[in-house]
Amino acid sequence: MPIRRSSLLPLLAGIALTACGGDRAPAPAAPAELDPAIVAALADPIMIDPDLVSQNRGNAAITLDRFDAVPLDDVSPEAVAAAMADAARLAGGMIKTAPEPALSDATLAPAVTAGQVAAALPGIARECLSGLRYGYTWAASLPQALPVYPRGHVQEVAGGAGCGLRAVVFATPVQPSAVIDFYYTQAGAAGFTTQRRRHGEVDVLAGTNGTATFEVRVRPGADGLAQVELAAGA
């Protein structure tokens, strides 16, 4: 019985598709859509697993919430230069140098959580601290003058819905003094009166503007990253 050409077409098409696709891996799934507000607030963040802070993270990457696989830490001179260039753009083109710090004998232990960072901010009401909630979305409501340092490696963020308190822990390959200079420039432009002090190796910049207050603590960290604790409230 003769075979019709039309009956062969589906069969040939199936064979062709099988031959073409047999050696190829399935197409990767499209990445989850990121919230633009969060991405903008974090200035292209690189998240760090808090459990790996004291370890070599040469091959570490994590997935958190709606964020996909996270890039590895980059402490190269190019990464530092790019972060500082972004900071200068945010500051209007020029970073001012902060005054020399007043020296203090008091010891400041590193914060483990964003809640501890918030609790260290002077004048914060107890009920505000008790209402703190954790989540990266709080970074989107940091004061405009006090964002996460560009390309900062965010570890944890907390905020209070009713009191305007925000606290974040992050790391950056930029030198601690450059971080202090950035926040000094930003705070001064926003009308804050600032004071700088040093507790051992911890550099601290604090400021007030009416009822608004903030404090930034920067200390040398592991793997060439400076550790930053930032809290702001109103």
Side-chain angles (χ1 to χ4, degrees):
M1 177 179 178
I3 299 176
R4 292 174 141 189
R5 179 179 299 178
S6 60
S7 65
L8 288 174
L9 292 178
L11 177 61
L12 293 174
I15 294 173
L17 288 174
T18 302
C20 291
D23 295 330
R24 295 184 182 178
E33 182 181 357
L34 302 184
D35 187 330
I38 300 176
V39 174
L42 297 181
D44 297 323
I46 303 175
M47 306 298 179
I48 296 176
D49 185 343
D51 293 333
L52 301 178
V53 168
S54 61
Q55 303 176 18
N56 182 346
R57 295 185 300 279
N59 296 310
I62 61 172
T63 300
L64 286 172
D65 263 349
R66 295 174 57 196
F67 291 88
D68 293 311
V70 176
L72 304 178
D73 298 338
D74 187 354
V75 296
S76 66
E78 293 78 12
V80 173
M84 294 183 69
D86 287 348
R89 281 192 290 270
L90 278 179
M94 185 180 70
I95 300 291
K96 297 181 180 180
T97 301
E100 287 297 311
L103 302 181
S104 173
D105 294 331
T107 301
L108 296 179
V112 176
T113 68
Q116 291 177 339
V117 176
L121 189 64
I124 297 300
R126 182 179 299 273
E127 55 269 24
C128 187
L129 291 172
S130 63
L132 279 181
R133 298 293 182 268
Y134 288 82
Y136 289 106
T137 53
W138 289 112
S141 56
L142 280 167
Q144 185 175 0
L146 303 169
V148 172
Y149 193 94
R151 302 172 188 256
H153 304 217
V154 175
Q155 295 169 316
E156 193 171 72
V157 191
C163 64
L165 177 61
R166 305 291 182 263
V168 59
V169 180
F170 67 94
T172 174
V174 175
Q175 289 295 311
S177 59
V179 176
I180 291 292
D181 289 345
F182 169 73
Y183 287 109
Y184 171 75
T185 302
Q186 289 288 99
F192 282 86
T193 299
T194 59
Q195 293 182 334
R196 183 184 182 187
R197 61 185 189 276
R198 190 185 300 276
H199 301 255
E201 64 178 6
V202 185
D203 209 339
V204 180
L205 183 71
T208 57
N209 182 7
T211 59
T213 182
F214 80 91
E215 185 172 87
V216 181
R217 298 181 179 183
V218 191
R219 69 188 76 232
D223 301 336
L225 296 168
Q227 195 74 16
V228 185
E229 303 158 9
L230 165 64

